[in-house]
Amino acid sequence: MIVYDLQAVQSPQHGERGIARYVAELASALDRNHDGVVDVFAYNDHLPRVDRLERFGFGDRLRPFS
């Protein structure tokens, strides 16, 4: 099982630049070009849940972790 950690994009101030941008673009590319290789796209449920998590379109593969 492959789990991809998305918590870098959860920063309200910096979630769309730097490392967060790299994490987001890599997640999108993996989903688009290698369908099914990532089983879970995980976000940290102790950090703010930002709208950009929903924009990925990962559906039920987007899950929280503690």
Side-chain angles (χ1 to χ4, degrees):
M1 173 181 272
I2 295 178
V3 177
Y4 189 92
D5 183 356
L6 290 169
Q7 72 179 330
V9 303
Q10 289 183 258
S11 169
Q13 296 83 15
H14 308 289
E16 295 181 348
R17 55 188 218 207
I19 292 171
R21 182 176 174 186
Y22 174 80
V23 168
E25 289 183 9
L26 180 58
S28 294
L30 284 170
D31 187 50
R32 182 178 56 252
N33 298 323
H34 302 284
D35 189 35
V37 74
V38 177
D39 300 303
V40 174
F41 289 94
Y43 64 92
N44 187 332
D45 60 350
H46 294 294
L47 294 175
R49 185 169 172 127
V50 292
D51 291 338
R52 69 183 68 90
L53 288 173
E54 302 303 327
R55 286 187 260 154
F56 285 118
F58 297 142
D60 62 345
R61 293 183 298 155
L62 181 64
R63 297 187 195 148
F65 72 91
S66 298

